[in-house]
Amino acid sequence: MATMPAPQTATRVASGGRLVFGKPEKAKGGRLLVRSCDNGGRGGNGRRVTVEAVNGAVKLNGAAVVADVRQVPAPPPPSSVDGGGDVRLGKFVEGRLVYRQQFVIRSYEIGPDRTATMETVMNLLQETALNHVMCSGLAGDGFGATRQMSLRKLIWVVTRINIQVDKYSRWGDVVEIDTWVASSGKNGMRRDWIIRDRNTKNMIARATSNWVMMNRETRRLSKIPEEVRQEVLPFYLDRSIIAADANAGGRKIEKLTDSTAEHIRSGLAPRWSDMDVNQHVNNVKYIGWILESVPLDVLEDYHLTSITLDYRRECRQSQLLESLTSMTTTSSPATAEPPLPATSRCSADLHSTHLIRQQDDGAEIVRARAEWRCKEHRGAMEQP
């Protein structure tokens, strides 16, 4: 059983109606001293108030106080999911080459089937990546940019991401995410992730992505300057979690057209909240627009088990979008799953192709490919 920390002391001053907290520490003579707390003159009457408590004896501005002051227990310090440290902070493992962080799945991160959504998974991947840069000491003033990148007005932009999910976590589950980076070609960087269930330590999802640099003012792609390369080089780990050709993740995604798409949803408008600090739509937001043109029965009866997004250009708030989808079955007689109950609406696992484009001129923004598994199939995706 974990040892509970010593309680803090809070003092309520009647005139200001404020609670001030101090951290207990041992003073000379074995007394328990609570350091002086100062409201900085922001009390209800505008007066500066200093409170000190020594072994329960309270002094207000240096004078002993008898009435109108009472001590109440302070709230416990922020706890973490494993009882040690701040849940917002991760840690480095494997010689600072891998960054690890834990997250609790919140109620607002689950969908109708009470499990985390693909958008939730992508948000957690993004958060872990940004915290990796911050905790490494490289962070400049940009969104995951290093100091040398900030000096040169450069930002990272994702060109492709492939996510494979074996099991979606439920509300209240705790996940553990590892992430690391490696070089990708001459002027790119690859970032990989592993998501594990904290309790079982089983891998439940994995992802890989490719990134390039762009000038935040000209919006043109840039080579990686040597100064930036030297910054990130000590953190490179030559390890791939998903092979380039695994599950067609590295293949070119075919372009959908009005004649090849089975479902088209028009009039999708980016909101202000869809924008990120790089002044374009955040890469996670496209998942929601892709699902807008997926048939409802697919969303109800299937798990989205894998998705590859190929980002073609930026999207701004002023642009109206269209979402296109085409669905096909993926199983064959030789590899088909066992027959499903007659009441099931699932006939086979599915493969889908998607396109997000500008509505006015048809310019491509994102191509995507996805795989879907029937929720009634027995296997890793089945929830207890």
Side-chain angles (χ1 to χ4, degrees):
M1 179 179 295
T3 303
M4 295 298 293
Q8 290 181 316
T9 309
T11 304
R12 186 186 303 277
V13 182
S15 61
R18 294 169 55 84
L19 277 175
V20 288
F21 296 90
K23 181 179 179 182
E25 64 179 32
K26 291 291 184 181
K28 290 182 179 179
R31 294 180 304 166
L32 186 62
L33 171 66
V34 176
R35 289 184 180 275
S36 298
C37 299
D38 198 319
N39 75 341
R42 296 186 294 273
N45 55 9
R47 296 172 58 189
R48 191 179 189 89
V49 177
T50 301
V51 179
E52 184 181 66
V54 180
N55 285 346
V58 181
K59 291 183 178 182
L60 177 62
N61 290 343
V65 177
V66 179
D68 296 330
V69 176
R70 60 189 176 90
Q71 292 187 334
V72 296
S79 61
S80 72
V81 293
D82 59 358
D86 192 329
V87 69
R88 295 168 298 177
L89 302 179
K91 62 181 179 180
F92 284 94
V93 296
E94 298 191 40
R96 292 181 62 83
L97 294 176
V98 176
Y99 179 75
R100 177 173 294 167
Q101 188 165 1
Q102 296 182 354
F103 298 91
V104 179
I105 303 301
R106 309 296 184 181
S107 60
Y108 50 82
E109 295 174 324
I110 62 175
D113 58 0
R114 301 186 181 185
T115 60
T117 64
M118 182 63 79
E119 288 178 273
T120 295
V121 173
M122 288 192 68
N123 276 320
L124 295 180
L125 299 182
Q126 180 173 263
E127 182 70 10
T128 309
L130 292 173
N131 290 341
H132 180 196
V133 177
M134 180 184 68
C135 293
S136 69
L138 296 177
D141 61 357
F143 199 47
T146 68
R147 293 189 184 90
Q148 291 296 329
M149 290 175 62
S150 296
L151 290 174
R152 291 163 175 78
K153 302 178 180 178
L154 298 174
I155 59 176
W156 288 112
V157 291
V158 61
T159 58
R160 173 173 279 220
I161 186 168
N162 175 220
I163 304 171
Q164 299 176 11
V165 179
D166 296 321
K167 178 182 178 181
Y168 285 100
S169 300
R170 288 180 173 271
W171 175 24
D173 286 354
V174 180
V175 297
E176 182 179 84
I177 304 180
D178 285 2
T179 186
W180 62 92
V181 292
S183 62
S184 177
K186 244 180 118 177
N187 286 293
M189 184 180 76
R190 191 188 78 242
R191 177 177 287 279
D192 287 2
W193 297 267
I194 292 176
I195 303 181
R196 299 183 182 90
D197 181 280
R198 192 201 64 168
N199 291 329
T200 66
K201 300 301 180 182
N202 293 332
M203 183 175 68
I204 58 176
R206 54 186 175 168
T208 187
S209 59
N210 293 315
W211 301 75
V212 295
M213 288 189 180
M214 184 175 73
N215 187 290
R216 68 170 179 256
E217 292 188 352
T218 66
R219 315 309 283 187
R220 293 181 179 273
L221 296 184
S222 168
K223 294 182 179 180
I224 299 181
E226 186 59 29
E227 294 82 357
V228 175
R229 196 183 305 275
Q230 293 306 313
E231 275 186 312
V232 299
L233 190 60
F235 295 91
Y236 278 178
L237 176 62
D238 188 16
R239 175 189 299 169
S240 298
I241 191 60
I242 299 177
D245 59 348
N247 292 326
R251 281 197 298 108
K252 183 178 179 180
I253 301 175
E254 65 176 284
K255 179 183 178 180
L256 286 182
T257 64
D258 290 341
S259 59
T260 58
E262 300 168 350
H263 311 277
I264 299 178
R265 178 72 182 273
S266 302
L268 303 174
R271 304 165 299 175
W272 175 253
S273 59
D274 295 329
M275 312 294 286
D276 64 26
V277 298
N278 287 330
Q279 308 306 312
H280 56 205
V281 170
N282 186 272
N283 65 84
V284 178
K285 301 298 181 179
Y286 295 104
I287 292 289
W289 291 326
I290 286 172
L291 299 182
E292 285 290 326
S293 59
V294 174
L296 181 59
D297 59 341
V298 174
L299 299 177
E300 291 177 340
D301 296 343
Y302 288 83
H303 286 294
L304 176 56
T305 60
S306 174
I307 188 166
T308 300
L309 295 104
D310 192 353
Y311 299 91
R312 319 286 285 187
R313 69 180 63 213
E314 292 185 285
C315 178
R316 303 297 182 92
Q317 187 187 3
S318 59
Q319 299 168 330
L320 280 180
L321 307 177
E322 287 184 319
S323 174
L324 289 71
T325 290
S326 176
M327 310 288 304
T328 58
T329 58
T330 59
S331 61
S332 63
T335 60
E337 296 282 346
L340 296 173
T343 56
S344 172
R345 292 191 294 177
C346 298
S347 57
D349 290 347
L350 300 177
H351 169 92
S352 60
T353 304
H354 309 271
L355 175 67
I356 301 296
R357 68 185 183 188
Q358 294 178 186
Q359 186 168 308
D360 56 353
D361 60 4
E364 292 182 86
I365 297 177
V366 175
R367 292 187 190 184
R369 177 194 302 115
E371 295 178 5
W372 306 76
R373 180 178 296 177
C374 182
K375 292 180 180 179
E376 297 184 27
H377 277 185
R378 298 181 296 273
M381 293 298 297
E382 185 175 313
Q383 301 297 324

